[in-house]
């Protein structure tokens, strides 16, 4: 929860777009601030769980399915019904899973990600993400559990 609060603090402060950043402490964290959304991917080796937190000032609508569409040379769309929107603060949407191979590949090998919830589509630039994703994959405590979200399909 502490990491989500850090992302929200950064989201609330008006900041220019920042580069993708990686830090191994206190847990493996990949962070990026886009004009519309802050993206944070974490891996906690104690629980073996990955999470992606997407925070935006306008909040997230209520919808049954959350998708991330990765656009670029290795296009991919992944979807889940297991997303959670914080009840006290609807600005943060979180997806947790034991495997994030498709998410990391999508971030690493494409030019843009689009978070889709209901009719809302929020683009995220992946410019410069690859080096930080590679650092995240090599995080000293990361066991890189390979798995997927509920459904994954290669884009045509």
């Amino acid at each position: 929860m502490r990491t989500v609060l850090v992302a929200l603090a950064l989201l609330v402060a008006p900041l220019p777009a920042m580069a993708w950043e990686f830090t191994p402490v206190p847990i493996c964290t990949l962070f990026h601030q886009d004009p519309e959304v802050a993206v944070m991917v974490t891996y906690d080796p104690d629980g073996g769980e990955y999470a992606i937190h997407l925070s935006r000032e306008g909040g997230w609508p209520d919808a049954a399915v959350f998708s991330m569409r990765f656009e670029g040379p290795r296009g991919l769309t992944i979807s889940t019904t297991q997303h959670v929107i914080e009840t006290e603060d609807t600005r943060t949407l979180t997806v947790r899973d034991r495997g994030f191979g498709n998410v990391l590949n999508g971030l690493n090998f494409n030019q843009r990600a689009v978070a889709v919830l209901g009719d809302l589509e929020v683009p995220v630039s992946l410019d410069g993400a690859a080096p930080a994703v590679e650092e995240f994959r090599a995080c000293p405590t990361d066991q890189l559990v390979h798995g997927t979200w509920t459904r994954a399909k290669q884009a045509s």
Side-chain angles (χ1 to χ4, degrees):
M1 188 58 160
R2 176 178 47 189
T3 54
V4 173
L5 295 175
V6 170
L8 284 175
L10 291 171
L11 179 64
V12 175
L15 296 172
M18 295 172 27
W20 284 84
E21 298 176 359
F22 166 76
T23 181
V25 290
I27 61 174
C28 302
T29 302
L30 180 64
F31 181 79
H32 177 70
Q33 175 73 53
D34 243 19
E36 288 187 58
V37 66
V39 179
M40 184 169 34
V41 179
T42 59
Y43 177 72
D44 185 351
D46 289 340
E49 185 175 72
Y50 291 87
I52 187 167
H53 310 277
L54 300 144
S55 300
R56 62 185 298 273
E57 191 59 40
W60 296 95
D62 187 32
V65 177
F66 171 72
S67 298
M68 288 218 41
R69 184 175 67 238
F70 296 100
E71 300 172 345
R74 289 180 58 179
L76 172 74
T77 298
I78 53 180
S79 301
T80 185
T81 59
Q82 302 301 308
H83 62 284
V84 174
I85 298 171
E86 301 293 329
T87 53
E88 296 87 32
D89 186 350
T90 61
R91 293 182 293 179
T92 301
L93 178 147
T94 301
V95 177
R96 297 178 190 283
D97 203 340
R98 293 185 107 31
F100 251 44
N102 284 329
V103 174
L104 296 176
N105 287 341
L107 295 171
N108 196 78
F109 300 115
N110 291 291
Q111 288 131 1
R112 184 171 100 139
V114 181
V116 181
L117 189 62
D119 293 333
L120 179 65
E121 293 193 3
V122 180
V124 178
S125 172
L126 299 179
D127 186 38
V133 172
E134 289 303 319
E135 285 183 278
F136 182 87
R137 288 183 196 263
C139 187
T141 57
D142 189 345
Q143 300 302 307
L144 277 183
V145 178
H146 294 283
T148 61
W149 279 359
T150 306
R151 179 180 52 202
K153 67 174 185 167
Q154 288 294 85
S156 307

